[in-house]
């Protein structure tokens, strides 16, 4: 959610900034801008729209300089517009600032500054930062002191980069509750919201903690929140740059759908043997026997994976599991304590609500476990334990391979808990075998691309679409429905199959498409009856199931597996159909409107 990047070094800053911005574009694409220091003056170019638009504008400018900062925006305060685009500056052009996060007390600060004679050009919360810097600089005559005073005034979250003619060839960086990484190579020093933005320049990174400040020039100087110099060790990240390319695919989403078998294989690699073992994570029998419940917290697709985790844990381990949407968790006064195992799922590891929920659970004494896909992401620094999914970088805004990897790791975790509490059983050995075999079955489902494309051609003009199922199939329905809405902009709803006749069935009319998901023999007949009910009201049914045929219904057949594992297979046709519908409509599937990949504000 908003991406920031900065460079100071021997080379021209602009190409490095725009390249960095392009890899950050998935974080937001409402507007973009750069500020470069040239001959002791700050030059800003910014506008509404995507980075390609900014690049066009830059072709007509002749900005040169070895130090600059840049931003791609997901609007929180103020519409997407040139005025609201970052970088923001004070009137005297002393400070240019890019910011990711939300300044929660910006109205109060704005009033304070207006009272002191300052005027605002934008509706953003960010603009208070350069103006406060200006105000405090005038009082203190010292940029670092001005920064310290400014940061003290800010409530909320921020990752900021600042350039100033007063500083010369130095970038100021500061962070609280928003991600910021710093990298270094022989050409210079970089700062950015995430690792992929910098991975083509360096694989050695420094991670700022909340409250940290850094001065980037020929070297990097770190300070803690009391402005005392601190030392930091860099960490090597072995990411394959290739993984961040489209590799010949038309879109990242298509590439990532196709990568799912490999992503699951990599995620499970080394975990499942005779015993299940995780790297740097273990729980003992005494602890697992002592817990009274498990609470899973996440947002969006990760929350849907969590629901399938609940299904698996309750079925196999008989431990009560609650799943909460992270943004609700904090405000529902959750009943958790030292006897609750709290699991937080986040592909990016940066989702503000999920991290805030984790901190709350930790404060209440619960053991916290993060499941994330991004190495060294913020969540890993807050949780007691971390388990990584190894799905590789997920760039498309709509989550696909992260979801199937999350469900896979949750099943592995379920088996781990079960085996520690109850010992080995034939049932758990069989499930382990099925889990390991899943990537091959995913290949089978992926091979039917053309069939899914045909469905999309039949459906892309509809106004509404429905997804129904029972048990774990309902969880799959929710994920299918979310994929469709977010990239095709078609209204869709998921319902427990038995719930339709309590109201929503009134929405069904002649020709309405309804997906039925039926992968669990125990409830299949019931789901089929519910599908009959909507068919009787004119609906077209598409059944995703592990059977060959059903009367008067189209069937998408998937291989038969334990219903605990079914989401990993059954979601694939739904991902594809959402994808092809969006393509039929000529939409940008990788960067759907109003969305951003990493939701770093609450
Ligand atoms: C949907 C989607 C979002 C994310 C949600 C959580 O396709 O991508 O719903 O799942 O924003 O993001 P993470 O997992 O990064 O915490």
């Amino acid at each position: 959610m908003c991406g920031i990047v900065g460079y100071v070094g021997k080379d021209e800053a602009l190409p490095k900034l725009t390249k960095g911005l392009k890899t950050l574009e998935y974080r937001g694409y409402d507007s973009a801008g750069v500020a470069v220091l040239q001959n002791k003056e700050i030059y800003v170019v910014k506008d509404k729209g995507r980075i390609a638009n900014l690049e066009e504008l830059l072709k007509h400018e002749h900005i040169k300089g070895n130090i600059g900062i840049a931003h791609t925006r997901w609007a929180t305060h103020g519409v997407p517009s040139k005025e609201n685009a970052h970088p923001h500056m004070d009137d005297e052009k002393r400070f240019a600032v890019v910011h990711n996060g939300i300044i929660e007390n910006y109205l109060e600060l704005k009033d304070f500054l207006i009272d002191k004679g300052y005027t605002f050009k934008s509706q953003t919360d960010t603009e208070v930062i350069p103006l406060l810097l200006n105000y405090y600089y005038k009082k203190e005559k010292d940029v670092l002191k001005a920064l310290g005073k400014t940061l003290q005034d800010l409530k909320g979250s921020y990752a900021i980069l600042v350039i100033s003619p007063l500083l010369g060839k130095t970038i100021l960086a500061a962070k609280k509750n928003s991600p910021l990484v710093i990298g270094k190579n022989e050409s210079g020093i970089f700062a950015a919201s995430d690792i992929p933005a910098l991975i083509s320049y360096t694989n050695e990174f420094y991670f700022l903690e909340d409250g940290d400040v850094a001065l980037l020039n020929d070297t990097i100087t770190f300070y803690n929140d009391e402005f005392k110099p601190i030392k930091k060790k860099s960490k090597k990240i072995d990411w394959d740059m290739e993984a961040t390319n489209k590799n010949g695919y038309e879109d990242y989403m298509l590439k990532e759908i196709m990568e799912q078998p490999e992503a699951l294989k990599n995620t499970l690699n080394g975990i499942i043997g005779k015993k299940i073992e995780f790297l740097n994570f273990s729980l003992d029998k005494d602890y697992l026997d002592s817990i009274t419940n498990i609470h899973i917290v996440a947002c969006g697709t990760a929350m849907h994976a969590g629901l399938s985790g609940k299904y698996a844990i309750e079925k196999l381990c008989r431990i009560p599991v609650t799943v909460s949407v992270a943004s609700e968790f904090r405000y529902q006064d959750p009943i958790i304590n030292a006897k609750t195992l709290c699991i937080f799922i986040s592909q990016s590891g940066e989702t503000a609500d999920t991290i805030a929920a984790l901190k709350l659970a930790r404060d209440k004494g619960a053991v916290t476990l993060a499941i994330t896909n991004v190495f060294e992401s913020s969540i890993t620094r807050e949780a007691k334990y971390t388990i990584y999914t190894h799905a590789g970088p997920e760039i498309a805004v709509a989550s696909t391979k992260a979801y199937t990897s999350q469900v896979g790791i949750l099943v592995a975790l379920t088996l781990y808990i079960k085996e520690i509490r109850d010992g080995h059983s034939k049932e758990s050995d069989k499930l382990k075998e099925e889990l390991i075999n899943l990537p091959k079955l995913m290949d089978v489902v992926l091979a039917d691309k053309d069939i899914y494309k045909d469905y999309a051609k039949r459906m892309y003009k509809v106004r509404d679409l429905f997804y129904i199922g029972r048990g774990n199939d309902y969880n799959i329905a929710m994920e299918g429905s979310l994929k469709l809405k977010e990239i095709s902009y078609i209204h869709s709803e998921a319902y427990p199959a038995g719930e339709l006749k309590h109201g929503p069935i009134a929405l069904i009319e002649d020709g309405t498409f309804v997906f039925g998901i039926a992968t669990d023999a125990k409830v299949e007949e019931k789901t089929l009856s519910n599908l009959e009910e909507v068919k009787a009201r004119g609906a077209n049914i598409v059944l995703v199931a592990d059977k060959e045929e059903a009367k008067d219904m189209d069937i998408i057949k998937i291989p038969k597996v334990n219903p605990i594992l079914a989401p990993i297979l059954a979601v694939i046709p739904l991902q594809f159909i959402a994808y092809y519908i969006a393509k039929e409509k000529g939409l940008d599937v990788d960067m759907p409107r109003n969305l951003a990949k990493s939701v770093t504000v609450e």
Side-chain angles (χ1 to χ4, degrees):
M1 192 141 286
C2 293
I4 62 175
V5 59
Y7 170 76
V8 51
K10 293 187 239 162
D11 298 339
E12 281 301 323
L14 262 188
K16 292 197 159 49
L17 296 175
T18 47
K19 188 172 168 190
L21 275 189
K22 279 188 205 155
T23 59
L24 289 171
E25 194 166 22
Y26 71 92
R27 298 177 74 95
Y29 30 86
D30 289 333
S31 63
V34 294
V36 171
L37 195 65
Q38 179 180 342
N39 302 330
K40 299 196 178 151
E41 248 189 83
I42 299 174
Y43 287 84
V44 171
V45 180
K46 59 182 187 178
D47 206 354
K48 184 179 162 174
R50 296 202 171 176
I51 290 153
N53 182 45
L54 175 70
E55 281 186 303
E56 271 309 306
L57 293 176
L58 287 169
K59 279 185 194 158
H60 308 290
E61 307 281 341
H62 299 284
I63 303 172
K64 293 218 165 289
N66 314 108
I67 168 167
I69 53 177
H71 187 271
T72 180
R73 178 168 187 247
W74 187 86
T76 59
H77 294 66
V79 295
S81 67
K82 183 171 175 172
E83 293 69 38
N84 290 335
H86 299 216
H88 290 285
M89 279 207 288
D90 58 312
D91 265 351
E92 289 165 280
K93 298 191 174 182
R94 282 187 165 153
F95 300 98
V97 176
V98 290
H99 165 224
N100 171 28
I102 290 185
I103 306 305
E104 286 167 2
N105 59 336
Y106 83 103
L107 285 175
E108 189 189 307
L109 296 171
K110 208 167 168 173
D111 284 347
F112 167 79
L113 287 160
I114 289 170
D115 201 45
K116 300 285 174 208
Y118 286 86
T119 50
F120 283 79
K121 296 188 187 69
S122 77
Q123 291 102 48
T124 65
D125 51 332
T126 302
E127 201 180 352
V128 297
I129 303 174
L131 271 52
L132 279 175
L133 284 167
N134 179 297
Y135 171 74
Y136 285 121
Y137 178 74
K138 281 183 176 157
K139 288 183 85 160
E140 303 286 340
K141 301 282 179 275
D142 180 294
V143 176
L144 270 192
K145 280 193 183 145
L147 179 69
K149 293 250 173 199
T150 300
L151 296 180
Q152 267 173 18
D153 282 355
L154 304 180
K155 290 205 179 106
S157 57
Y158 56 80
I160 56 169
L161 299 176
V162 183
I163 56 169
S164 166
L166 298 164
L167 288 166
K169 223 177 144 188
T170 297
I171 297 177
L172 295 179
K175 119 161 192 115
K176 192 176 134 205
N177 296 330
S178 285
L180 191 60
V181 297
I182 292 171
K184 185 178 177 180
N185 70 8
E186 58 296 334
S187 131
I189 294 171
F190 302 80
S193 301
D194 65 24
I195 296 168
L198 305 183
I199 199 79
S200 62
Y201 299 116
T202 180
N203 65 352
E204 213 164 325
F205 295 94
Y206 297 90
F207 296 91
L208 293 192
E209 301 297 329
D210 283 345
D212 286 353
V213 168
L215 249 73
L216 322 178
N217 38 47
D218 293 334
T219 54
I220 311 169
T221 318
F222 295 103
Y223 298 91
N224 65 11
D225 52 0
E226 288 162 2
F227 267 86
K228 300 237 164 70
I230 47 169
K231 292 234 174 313
K232 274 192 185 287
K233 278 196 178 143
S234 63
K235 291 192 179 162
K236 264 214 156 86
I237 307 285
D238 292 319
W239 267 14
D240 176 9
M241 240 327 267
E242 279 300 293
T244 60
N245 294 333
K246 281 193 197 159
N247 282 350
Y249 285 98
E250 213 173 310
D251 308 279
Y252 280 112
M253 183 175 173
L254 182 58
K255 172 182 174 249
E256 289 160 10
I257 290 174
M258 297 304 289
E259 281 173 347
Q260 290 184 101
E262 201 55 31
L264 182 62
K265 222 186 282 170
N266 291 339
T267 294
L268 299 176
N269 188 22
I271 290 180
I272 302 176
K274 204 167 165 41
K275 269 176 39 188
I276 295 189
E277 278 173 318
F278 296 94
L279 196 67
N280 302 327
F281 164 73
S282 64
L283 295 172
D284 62 31
K285 184 163 163 49
D286 282 351
Y287 169 73
L288 283 172
D289 283 343
S290 76
I291 58 173
T292 52
N293 64 319
I294 292 178
H295 208 125
I296 300 178
V297 186
C299 300
T301 288
M303 195 273 294
H304 294 157
L307 288 168
S308 289
K310 168 185 163 80
Y311 180 85
I313 297 168
E314 289 189 338
K315 263 234 141 51
L316 290 186
C317 308
R318 308 305 293 157
I319 302 173
V321 183
T322 310
V323 179
S324 293
V325 168
S327 53
E328 291 294 312
F329 178 82
R330 286 169 77 195
Y331 306 104
Q332 66 196 20
D333 199 4
I335 305 170
I336 47 174
N337 51 45
K339 291 191 168 183
T340 315
L341 169 62
C342 282
I343 304 172
F344 300 84
I345 311 168
S346 175
Q347 186 286 130
S348 62
E350 302 295 349
T351 299
D353 281 315
T354 310
I355 294 174
L358 191 154
K359 289 179 182 166
L360 175 69
R362 197 181 54 194
D363 292 348
K364 283 180 174 268
V367 169
T368 56
L369 165 64
I371 296 179
T372 184
N373 193 40
V374 178
F375 191 64
E376 284 292 334
S377 52
S378 302
I379 205 167
T380 66
R381 286 193 286 281
E382 302 294 343
K384 173 155 191 199
Y385 300 108
T386 297
I387 299 177
Y388 286 103
T389 49
H390 294 278
E394 193 181 65
I395 311 281
V397 164
S399 184
T400 53
K401 63 177 179 172
Y403 168 78
T404 40
S405 300
Q406 285 158 355
V407 176
I409 206 77
L410 284 164
V411 176
L413 180 65
T414 304
L415 287 165
Y416 174 79
I417 296 173
K418 165 124 186 104
E419 288 187 350
I420 290 184
R421 280 167 50 115
D422 306 334
H424 282 265
S425 67
K426 275 195 184 145
E427 187 194 13
S428 65
D429 281 346
K430 183 157 184 296
L431 194 58
K432 257 192 243 174
E433 223 180 285
E434 272 196 88
L435 183 55
I436 294 199
N437 197 36
L438 263 188
K440 283 193 201 119
L441 300 183
M442 293 168 94
D443 280 330
V444 173
V445 185
L446 287 166
D448 284 339
K449 280 216 278 308
D450 290 341
I451 298 178
Y452 312 138
K453 204 181 216 167
D454 287 344
Y455 279 111
K457 285 197 168 127
R458 282 170 61 194
M459 293 174 182
Y460 77 99
K461 287 189 179 152
V462 301
R463 194 190 52 194
D464 310 294
L465 241 153
F466 295 86
Y467 296 73
I468 65 170
R470 287 169 180 256
N472 216 10
D473 290 331
Y474 170 49
N475 299 331
I476 303 165
M478 281 191 266
E479 178 54 13
S481 168
L482 176 61
K483 279 301 83 96
L484 183 83
K485 336 184 207 257
E486 63 181 327
I487 59 166
S488 77
Y489 317 147
I490 292 175
H491 167 252
S492 82
E493 303 266 5
Y495 286 104
E499 183 66 12
L500 276 190
K501 49 182 158 302
H502 297 283
I505 202 164
L507 294 168
I508 305 295
E509 28 185 71
D510 247 5
T512 307
F513 276 98
V514 178
F515 280 101
I517 296 108
T519 65
D520 183 352
K522 270 203 184 130
V523 288
E524 182 192 298
E525 286 307 323
K526 300 261 181 237
T527 303
L528 288 177
S529 299
N530 299 134
L531 288 169
E532 287 296 340
E533 291 159 9
V534 285
K535 192 151 66 73
R537 280 142 186 101
N540 295 322
I541 312 293
V542 182
L543 180 67
V544 179
D546 50 24
K547 54 198 280 168
E548 290 297 337
E549 55 183 46
K551 208 167 137 267
D552 295 334
M553 290 179 198
D554 286 315
I555 286 211
I556 294 176
K557 184 180 180 304
I558 57 165
K560 182 158 193 59
V561 287
N562 187 315
I564 286 176
L565 300 174
I568 296 174
L569 297 183
V571 80
I572 294 173
L574 306 180
Q575 294 170 339
F576 265 121
I577 291 171
Y579 170 82
Y580 284 123
I581 287 180
K583 292 301 279 183
E584 284 295 329
K585 292 181 76 176
L587 299 171
D588 183 340
V589 288
D590 284 341
M591 290 192 246
R593 74 181 176 207
N594 303 341
L595 294 176
K597 181 75 181 160
S598 204
V599 185
T600 55
V601 292
E602 288 175 32

